[in-house]
Amino acid sequence: MFDLIVKNATLPDGRTGVDIACADGTIAAVEPGISAQAHEVIDATGYLVSPPFVDPHFHMDATLSLGTPRMNVSGTLLEGIALWGELKPIQSVDDIIARALRYCDLAVSMGIGAIRSHVDVCDDDLKGVEALLEVRKQVAPYLDLQLVAFPQDGVLRDPTAMANLLRALDMGVDVVGGIPHFERTMEQGAESVRQLCKIAADRGLMVDMHCDESDDPLSRHIETLAHETQRLGMQGRVAGSHLTSMHSMDNYYVSKLIPLMVEAGVHAIPNPLINIMLQGRHDTYPKRRGQTRVPQLRDAGITVGFGSDCVMDPWYSLGKADMLDVALMGLHVGQLSSRADMEWCFDAVTVNSAAIMGLEGYGLAKGDKANMVLLQATDRIEALRLRAHRLAVIRAGRVIARADLVVTKMELPGRPLTVNAADYAP
Ligand code: FE2
């Protein structure tokens, strides 16, 4: 007797007609025609079953705060940072917890199973840290939340940031963050990378820095981050988020930089929605797109995962926890239009991001955790095309969110009575 069987699924690798049996929170069998009994049986009717979406870059302490205390008038990154500075002193721990829990509800409904959230430590009361540690505990049964100690105002630029960051790590924050391009000088930025990597190495932690989030082709902190990663033997444990300046870097310099990143095993986390929205603001025309060199990084062997970064906060008024929106924007901006490229974009919000976060038991093989999402789409490309509806979200072998098939009733004489967008696949 299994807890759950999902019948007749299509898997991301293209296998069709597959049944997935779950027992004791793990996947017990993945094969056609499982006939055993189960407490619940779901018929996938040939639709895609994927491991859950993974968001490797988010700001849960700011999410759903849109309009508090005011709107971002210019829509720029710097006004967003200033606005966040106005909000921090007036929000309470309970405010942050309530907003974060609401966001997690939305995220789960959209099939997200894991989120890496940066949490601002440039607040001497560490309200965000206290709040998100509580949220991490409360959501643990249904969502993996990994926290990054993020010194938003610069770990060297802000006089108490370093002490706060160390306190946050002592309190149980998982990952060391940074923002070298926001320090006062290039040298201070590089020094911040060195100090933060040393802290992570000493504590055996991962690193994920907001790195070179600008249009400045000479913002080269990713070079220092990769070099420190290699020097300290932290290969595979370090990620550079955004890396937008790489888009504008000189090609010769990049031909030297990318091999260094490969040797260092540094991961890359572009945030397509935010990067296309916030970068290139000083340009007239031609205007830069601001997304890092995704195909080049990927083709060199670097693990690239797409993050969402923001949903309805001081930096971004839109978003709905839809990692397919994120992947679709990454696809367009990166001109990733071949069939294989598009499939890879789906992987960038699932398996690649899971690898970056170091999630254990992620996947749809026997023995993996029984976490998955059933989509109203027949394959990975269709899922992107449709921003497919989530029909069921499964965690530890139990359905934790479900929705009816979306079918529109039509009233056109002589034409079909219903339209299901997923029926239009080639
Ligand atoms: Fe961010």
Side-chain angles (χ1 to χ4, degrees):
M1 178 69 107
F2 292 113
D3 297 324
L4 174 72
I5 299 176
V6 180
K7 306 282 291 183
N8 192 19
T10 296
L11 302 189
D13 63 12
R15 280 179 286 164
T16 57
V18 176
D19 295 351
I20 305 167
C22 309
D24 301 324
T26 60
I27 294 175
V30 183
E31 56 197 49
I34 296 174
S35 58
Q37 297 291 305
H39 291 295
E40 178 166 9
V41 176
I42 293 178
D43 187 357
T45 68
Y47 284 138
L48 178 66
V49 174
S50 167
F53 295 110
V54 176
D55 186 352
H57 187 114
F58 193 62
H59 293 266
M60 201 174 281
D61 49 357
T63 193
L64 304 184
S65 68
L66 180 68
T68 312
R70 63 179 177 83
M71 288 289 179
N72 181 338
V73 177
S74 65
T76 60
L77 172 60
L78 291 180
E79 186 177 343
I81 293 174
L83 180 48
W84 175 235
E86 295 170 32
L87 174 58
K88 273 196 283 185
I90 59 173
Q91 64 179 353
S92 70
V93 172
D94 288 344
D95 292 338
I96 303 169
I97 290 174
R99 286 201 317 259
L101 287 174
R102 277 194 80 211
Y103 181 78
C104 291
D105 298 338
L106 178 64
V108 168
S109 79
M110 297 302 282
I112 292 178
I115 299 173
R116 172 180 281 181
S117 176
H118 296 254
V119 51
D120 189 357
V121 298
C122 292
D123 156 27
D124 292 345
D125 297 330
L126 291 180
K127 285 186 283 192
V129 172
E130 185 184 336
L132 291 195
L133 286 169
E134 174 61 25
V135 170
R136 185 180 69 181
K137 190 167 67 181
Q138 288 192 31
V139 303
Y142 53 88
L143 183 70
D144 296 312
L145 179 57
Q146 193 177 71
L147 300 177
V148 185
F150 174 48
Q152 171 79 73
D153 300 331
V155 76
L156 301 180
R157 181 171 169 173
D158 180 309
T160 56
M162 181 60 88
N164 291 345
L165 181 135
L166 294 171
R167 276 169 56 215
L169 297 176
D170 290 342
M171 288 164 71
V173 170
D174 307 282
V175 181
V176 177
I179 185 164
H181 58 276
F182 199 67
E183 303 290 353
R184 285 295 192 191
T185 65
M186 285 292 186
E187 175 46 36
Q188 287 277 288
E191 179 59 21
S192 77
V193 172
R194 286 190 282 268
Q195 291 188 19
L196 291 164
C197 286
K198 174 77 165 50
I199 290 166
D202 289 347
R203 292 177 178 241
L205 298 177
M206 292 189 283
V207 173
D208 186 340
M209 290 194 195
H210 286 64
C211 198
D212 304 319
E213 187 183 4
S214 77
D215 297 315
D216 177 3
L218 296 178
S219 185
R220 295 174 169 186
H221 298 299
I222 181 57
E223 176 187 87
T224 309
L225 182 62
H227 179 63
E228 287 303 293
T229 300
Q230 192 179 40
R231 192 178 69 80
L232 296 165
M234 296 174 68
Q235 287 88 345
R237 287 165 41 199
V238 176
S241 281
H242 295 294
L243 304 175
T244 53
S245 75
M246 284 189 75
H247 190 278
S248 296
M249 284 175 183
D250 173 76
N251 283 330
Y252 179 81
Y253 174 70
V254 170
S255 76
K256 181 166 168 273
L257 173 64
I258 288 183
L260 172 63
M261 293 172 68
V262 172
E263 283 175 36
V266 168
H267 312 307
I269 307 175
N271 296 283
L273 294 168
I274 307 308
N275 296 155
I276 191 74
M277 179 68 91
L278 294 180
Q279 300 304 310
R281 290 286 177 124
H282 291 72
D283 294 358
T284 54
Y285 292 93
K287 199 173 178 69
R288 287 170 287 181
R289 294 168 171 229
Q291 182 164 287
T292 192
R293 301 179 182 224
V294 171
Q296 270 184 282
L297 291 166
R298 176 199 62 179
D299 293 347
I302 291 166
T303 305
V304 182
F306 290 145
S308 70
D309 204 0
C310 302
V311 170
M312 290 186 280
D313 69 8
W315 297 274
Y316 189 61
S317 300
L318 306 171
K320 56 172 182 159
D322 189 344
M323 295 310 293
L324 291 170
D325 267 345
V326 172
L328 195 71
M329 181 61 78
L331 182 159
H332 281 83
V333 180
Q335 298 175 327
L336 292 154
S337 54
S338 75
R339 303 296 287 180
D341 282 345
M342 290 192 281
E343 290 170 344
W344 178 87
C345 287
F346 186 91
D347 295 346
V349 291
T350 52
V351 284
N352 295 4
S353 292
I356 290 171
M357 285 182 62
L359 298 181
E360 291 177 1
Y362 180 90
L364 288 181
K366 183 178 175 181
D368 286 336
K369 291 181 180 172
N371 302 337
M372 62 199 88
V373 55
L374 170 61
L375 298 160
Q376 189 176 338
T378 48
D379 61 31
R380 285 178 287 176
I381 295 172
E382 279 292 292
L384 286 163
R385 182 179 73 82
L386 297 164
R387 263 80 24 93
H389 298 290
R390 284 66 167 169
L391 297 174
V393 180
I394 293 159
R395 175 83 173 191
R398 188 173 75 82
V399 178
I400 58 169
R402 67 181 91 214
D404 294 334
L405 201 70
V406 175
V407 178
T408 304
K409 291 177 183 155
M410 303 295 290
E411 300 184 11
L412 294 174
R415 301 304 303 160
L417 295 173
T418 59
V419 167
N420 173 355
D423 289 343
Y424 291 73

